[in-house]
Amino acid sequence: MSVIEVSELRKSYGGRAVVDGVSFAVEEGEIFGILGPNGAGKTTTVECVEGLRVPDAGRVRVTGLDPIADHEKVARVLGAQLQESELQAKLTVREALELYASFYPSPADWRPLAERLGLAEKLTTRFAKLSGGQKQRLFIALALVGNPRVVVLDELTTGLDPRARRDTWQLIEDVRAGGVTVLLVTHFMEEAQRLCDRIAVIDGGRIAALDTPDGLIRRSAGSTVISFTPSAPLDEGDLNALPELASLAHKDGRITLSGTDATVNAVITLLARHHITAHQLRVTDATLDDAFLDLTEAAS
Amino acid sequence: MSSALVNPGVLRAELRLLRREPGIIFWVLLFPTLLLAILGSIPSFRHSSHDLGDLRPIDAYVPIAVLIGLITSGVQGMPQSLTGYRERGILRRMSTTPVRPAALLTAQMLVYGGAALVSALLALTVGRLAFDVTLPRQPFGYAVALLLSVIVALALGAVISALSRTTKIAGAIGSAVFFPMMFCAGVWLPVQAMPHTLAEIVGYTPFGAAAQALDQAAAGHWPGWSHLGVLAAWAVLLTRVASRWFRWE
C-alpha cells in the first residue's frame, strides 16, 4: 500500500482551477519531490495531503486514511513544515519543542533533534528573536518531533545558508533511512536532484512529468549541452541540420547547443570536415534545471 | 494528544506567554485597582453621596474597577492576541497537529478570563483593606453576575477577532468598542447616578446590565433577573455571531 495516494485531485479558488486533476502515489520510505513554477499548485496539493484544505474533487489518502474525515489520526503520523507560518512571538525554542512533542502519542526526544539542527544554543531564545534560518530549522524540528511516519516539507531549505542546507539534506536522508516517507515541495533543483527518488513536475495545476531525476533529464529534449568558440564562422544551415538538436544559441562568438550524444558526434564531424578548431570545447550533461525549464515550457 | 477543547500543554504555554505581556499585566491586572486607589485617596470619594443612594463613591467604584479589568481583557487584550495568531499562521500550524486550533482559542479565553477574575479579586481586596468597602453581601449572586460578565466580554472579544482580518483592525475595533463599553459600565458616571432614562437604556447594554447586577449583589440582593437575562442574552448572541464568522485562517 502506498503511504500517500492522491488521485484526480482538484481544487479551485474563485472559479480558477489551481489543482486540476493531479494524481500520484508515494511509497513507504520514498523521498518524493514536487517541483514546479510559482503558482503551479504545489502548495495547494500538499495542503490537501496535510488536511488543511478540503479538495473539490478527487481522493487523498495518507496511510489509507482521509486527512479531512480522519484528521486526528492522520495528524498523529504526519509531520508538516508549512511554507508560511509562525509561532507565538514570546515562546522560547525549548517551550515550542516541548509543547509540540506533547501533542503526539510517542514523540521523539527533542534534545538530539535540536542539537542536530543547530538549535542547542538557542533553547532559551524567544521565537521572535530567531533569525530566518533558525526559525526554519525550528519548524523542521517541529515537523519531526512527533516521530511521524510521513513528513511533508514545503520549501525545506528556503532561507538557509549553504552549510545549513547541506546539513538539513543529510538529516532528511537519515530520517528516510529510518523508514519515514518524505513529501518535499521545492524550488531548488540541486535539492531535488540530491534528495528525491522520484519527482512530479507540476505546471498549471497538472502533472507535466513524473520520473526519477535522471529520467526527467534524459527524457527532456537536449539532455547534453555542447559549447565552444569556433576558430572560423560556421554555416548556420549546417548547425540547424544537426541531428536531434534541441536548442542553439550564439553569444559573443560562442556557440551553445543542446541535444543528445548523436548531436555531439555530428558537431565533431562537422568541425573536422571544415577544419575548424573548437576552442574551449565543453560537453556537459544537462541539469535538472534544464529539464525543468524544458518540461514546464512545453506544458505552458 | 486528543481533540479535547482544552489541552493542558497549550493552556500552560498561553499562561506563561500572558505573563510575558507587560501591557496586559498593567492594564488588566493593576490599572483598575490603581485607579481605585487614586480615587479612594480623594477625600470626597470617601463620604456618602445622595446621588448614589447614600453609598460612598468609592463603594460604587469597586464594581466599576472590576468591570474595567474585564472589558480591557476581553475587548483589548484577547482579540488582538487571537487575531495575531490567525494572521501569523499560528492557528494554521496548530491545525496540522493532533491538537486542533480550537485548543488555542479556549486557552486564550481561559487565560484572559482568568486575568479578568484575578483583577476583580485584587480590586475587591484592596477596596476592602484600604478603603473599608464591604465585600459583596450576596457573594453567590456576585459570582454569577461576574462570571456571566466575563463570558460576555470574551464573546465580544471573539466577535471582534472574527471580524478583524489583521491585528491592526482588531486594535481599531477594540478601541472603538472599548470607550462606549466603559461608559456603560459607569466609569465616568456610575450607573446609579445616571438619569433614569439613560440608566434604563444603559441597562440593556452588556456592561450596563453587568454594573447593575454587581451593584445589587454588592448591596446584598440577588441580582435582578432582568440584568442577568440581558447578560445571558448577550452571551448567547455574541457567541453565535463569533462562531458563525470566526475563521481559522
Side-chain angles (χ1 to χ4, degrees):
Chain A
M1 187 187 71
S2 303
V3 174
I4 301 173
E5 289 173 70
V6 173
S7 64
E8 286 302 307
L9 179 68
R10 278 168 218 281
K11 180 81 189 172
S12 308
Y13 294 117
R16 199 176 70 88
V18 177
V19 178
D20 193 11
V22 163
S23 305
F24 60 88
V26 185
E27 305 306 322
E28 179 138 32
E30 188 176 24
I31 302 184
F32 188 92
I34 295 186
L35 217 60
N38 290 328
K42 307 183 296 287
T43 293
T44 306
T45 302
V46 296
E47 281 175 346
C48 289
V49 172
E50 292 160 337
L52 287 174
R53 305 235 175 262
V54 183
D56 293 341
R59 200 178 114 101
V60 179
R61 290 292 178 272
V62 176
T63 63
L65 300 164
D66 180 341
I68 302 293
D70 288 313
H71 180 88
E72 199 179 318
K73 282 185 191 156
V74 170
R76 280 187 198 156
V77 296
L78 184 145
Q81 173 247 319
L82 307 178
Q83 199 184 115
E84 274 174 16
S85 65
E86 287 185 44
L87 292 175
Q88 292 90 323
K90 294 184 180 177
L91 198 67
T92 67
V93 169
R94 185 202 182 98
E95 286 162 356
L97 288 163
E98 282 176 343
L99 179 64
Y100 275 72
S102 78
F103 294 166
Y104 297 91
S106 51
D109 183 356
W110 56 262
R111 278 159 247 266
L113 199 55
E115 188 83 38
R116 225 25 252 252
L117 284 157
L119 293 168
E121 315 285 288
K122 293 281 162 195
L123 291 178
T124 54
T125 307
R126 293 176 177 187
F127 180 78
K129 302 271 183 215
L130 295 175
S131 72
Q134 289 161 349
K135 286 179 182 171
Q136 182 76 1
R137 282 181 271 145
L138 176 56
F139 279 117
I140 296 167
L142 295 183
L144 297 171
V145 79
N147 247 337
R149 282 186 61 196
V150 186
V151 263
V152 181
L153 306 161
D154 196 349
E155 309 232 336
L156 174 69
T157 56
T158 303
L160 296 188
D161 61 50
R163 174 65 175 274
R165 186 176 301 151
R166 262 153 232 287
D167 291 348
T168 304
W169 290 343
Q170 187 58 51
L171 173 67
I172 298 304
E173 281 170 341
D174 293 350
V175 164
R176 182 266 286 280
V180 174
T181 307
V182 181
L183 181 61
L184 182 77
V185 173
T186 184
H187 268 126
F188 272 111
M189 301 301 154
E190 196 191 348
E191 179 169 299
Q193 202 157 3
R194 151 119 190 229
L195 286 179
C196 297
D197 299 310
R198 286 188 304 147
I199 295 171
V201 178
I202 297 192
D203 195 22
R206 293 164 179 279
I207 292 198
L210 200 167
D211 208 334
T212 60
D214 285 344
L216 286 177
I217 296 167
R218 252 184 283 116
R219 80 150 82 173
S220 70
S223 59
T224 305
V225 179
I226 310 135
S227 61
F228 56 92
T229 308
S231 57
L234 274 163
D235 182 54
E236 194 72 10
D238 285 344
L239 286 172
N240 277 314
L242 289 168
E244 297 182 25
L245 181 74
S247 70
L248 170 65
H250 295 270
K251 197 188 174 197
D252 304 330
R254 191 163 176 82
I255 295 173
T256 303
L257 35 82
S258 66
T260 63
D261 285 350
T263 325
V264 181
N265 289 324
V267 168
I268 292 166
T269 313
L270 179 71
L271 292 168
R273 199 175 339 124
H274 291 91
H275 304 289
I276 293 172
T277 313
H279 295 293
Q280 290 173 297
L281 173 68
R282 301 280 183 276
V283 180
T284 53
D285 281 338
T287 58
L288 192 55
D289 232 346
D290 303 311
F292 173 75
L293 290 173
D294 184 54
L295 284 163
T296 51
E297 262 163 31
S300 59
Chain B
M1 55 176 280
S2 79
S3 60
L5 272 178
V6 179
N7 177 284
V10 174
L11 185 59
R12 211 176 311 124
E14 287 304 312
L15 189 61
R16 216 181 260 159
L17 289 170
L18 191 78
R19 292 209 302 261
R20 291 177 194 162
E21 293 298 336
I24 297 292
I25 302 282
F26 179 75
W27 291 107
V28 174
L29 291 183
L30 304 179
F31 174 73
T33 300
L34 198 63
L35 184 70
L36 193 68
I38 292 167
L39 294 176
S41 64
I42 302 169
S44 68
F45 270 70
R46 297 196 301 265
H47 299 299
S48 62
S49 148
H50 181 68
D51 283 351
L52 296 171
D54 294 328
L55 279 178
R56 298 173 305 158
I58 190 70
D59 297 321
Y61 266 94
V62 170
I64 292 170
V66 165
L67 289 176
I68 293 174
L70 199 144
I71 295 169
T72 312
S73 189
V75 174
Q76 301 268 56
M78 194 193 70
Q80 292 229 41
S81 164
L82 195 57
T83 307
Y85 283 8
R86 178 179 49 213
E87 193 181 3
R88 286 180 282 129
I90 296 166
L91 296 178
R92 220 170 116 69
R93 179 64 188 82
M94 189 75 92
S95 307
T96 66
T97 72
V99 177
R100 305 306 305 256
L104 208 42
L105 176 67
T106 12
Q108 284 261 301
M109 290 193 152
L110 287 173
V111 298
Y112 279 95
L117 289 176
V118 171
S119 165
L121 281 178
L122 192 62
L124 285 169
T125 311
V126 170
R128 174 73 191 81
L129 296 180
F131 306 107
D132 207 23
V133 179
T134 43
L135 291 175
R137 293 200 174 89
Q138 171 48 269
F140 188 63
Y142 200 90
V144 169
L146 187 60
L147 275 180
L148 267 175
S149 310
V150 171
I151 292 168
V152 170
L154 294 173
L156 184 59
V159 169
I160 294 171
S161 182
L163 299 178
S164 313
R165 225 166 16 83
T166 65
T167 323
K168 270 190 183 161
I169 299 174
I173 301 181
S175 302
V177 172
F178 183 68
F179 291 102
M181 292 298 145
M182 294 282 269
F183 176 81
C184 293
V187 173
W188 289 280
L189 182 66
V191 181
Q192 300 97 315
M194 286 180 185
H196 183 70
T197 324
L198 182 62
E200 191 117 298
I201 296 169
V202 161
Y204 287 105
T205 66
F207 298 108
Q212 295 179 21
L214 291 178
D215 289 338
Q216 288 169 340
H221 311 290
W222 180 260
W225 289 109
S226 61
H227 301 316
L228 293 182
V230 168
L231 277 173
W234 277 108
V236 171
L237 178 77
L238 293 168
T239 308
R240 284 234 171 132
V241 172
S243 53
R244 169 77 181 76
W245 295 103
F246 194 81
R247 294 283 170 268
W248 298 106
E249 51 183 273

